[in-house]
């Protein structure tokens, strides 16, 4: 069994869509970051394990979810229905075959799915990461697959939007093998907390930039 960790903040509509698509050999674990829309109750009704994460921040939710997951294979994915869990199969297989870290390269299905400010910030950060670490990475994407215990041993400290960048930096420093695989990227269900606004994208890009060495 693998565990699908979903950092969550007010994603009640998207959770229902996601739950129908979680593969039967995966546990669904929702790391709730203070939802006020009933996401916690809906997730439990859908059969997910739910943990409450009082420290606010994307990284705080992800890291608490990974820590709570059972040892073994873990996939982290946003809980906003931009990704379909059935599309995780190639990433899971890559890690089962020996890759330390598999990550998505987002393939937007529409312009609305990934606005220009998100594309620009992501392109710059990916370039910066390639330059600093030598990783052949082209997307600081929100889907990552790995084995839980070696991942926790990386000692990731960021608990905000810089978390994904630190994951890649520390993985590179540890000599991890890495694979990028394409995944369709859809327009989210519900209101975006980051990519839906220029200021949200700027804040996320700033936090990610600060997480580089």
């Amino acid at each position: 069994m693998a565990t699908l960790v979903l950092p969550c903040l007010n994603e009640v509509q998207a959770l229902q869509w996601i739950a129908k698509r979680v593969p039967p050999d995966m546990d669904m674990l929702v790391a709730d970051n203070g939802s006020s829309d009933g996401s916690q109750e809906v997730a439990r009704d859908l059969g997910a394990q739910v943990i409450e994460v009082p420290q606010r921040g994307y990284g705080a939710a992800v890291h608490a979810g990974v820590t709570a997951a059972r040892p073994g294979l873990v996939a982290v994915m946003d809980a906003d229905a931009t990704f379909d869990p059935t599309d995780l199969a190639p990433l899971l297989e890559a890690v089962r075959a020996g890759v330390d870290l598999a990550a998505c390269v987002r393939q937007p299905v529409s312009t609305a799915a990934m606005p220009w400010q998100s594309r620009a910030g992501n392109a710059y950060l990916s370039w910066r990461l390639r330059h600093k670490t030598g990783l052949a990475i082209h997307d600081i994407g929100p889907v990552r697959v790995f084995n839980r215990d070696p991942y926790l041993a990386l000692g990731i400290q960021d608990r905000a939007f810089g978390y994904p960048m630190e994951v890649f930096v520390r993985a590179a420093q540890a000599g991890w093998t890495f694979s990028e695989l394409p995944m369709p990227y859809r327009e989210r269900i519900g209101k975006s907390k980051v990519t839906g606004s220029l200021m949200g994208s700027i804040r996320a890009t700033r936090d990610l930039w600060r997480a580089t060495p």
Side-chain angles (χ1 to χ4, degrees), residues 3-5 7 26 58-59 62-63 66 73-78 83 88 91-92 95 100-104 137 139-147 151 156 160-168 171 176 178-179 183 208:
T3 303
L4 175 61
V5 171
M26 295 194 81
Y58 169 81
V62 171
H63 208 75
V66 174
L73 205 59
V74 173
V76 172
M77 190 180 78
D78 283 353
F83 295 99
L88 285 168
L91 282 76
L92 293 163
V95 177
D100 293 314
L101 176 64
C104 75
I137 188 167
D139 188 6
I140 315 299
V143 177
R144 298 172 295 279
V145 178
F146 46 82
N147 281 296
Y151 178 90
I156 301 158
F161 286 124
Y163 187 90
M165 185 71 86
E166 188 181 352
V167 170
F168 292 120
W176 277 27
F178 171 70
S179 180
M183 286 185 69
L208 286 160

Side-chain angles (χ1 to χ4, degrees), residues 22-96:
V22 175
D25 61 346
M26 295 194 81
D27 293 327
M28 180 175 165
L29 192 160
V30 173
D32 191 81
N33 208 200
S35 293
S36 59
D37 66 349
S39 289
Q40 308 94 321
E41 291 77 13
V42 168
R44 291 188 182 97
D45 289 344
L46 292 167
Q49 177 186 351
V50 178
I51 63 166
E52 305 284 350
V53 186
Q55 180 183 358
R56 295 298 287 266
Y58 169 81
V62 171
H63 208 75
V66 174
T67 302
R70 69 172 73 194
L73 205 59
V74 173
V76 172
M77 190 180 78
D78 283 353
D80 57 7
T82 49
F83 295 99
D84 187 331
T86 61
D87 293 328
L88 285 168
L91 282 76
L92 293 163
E93 184 55 37
V95 177
R96 289 189 178 110

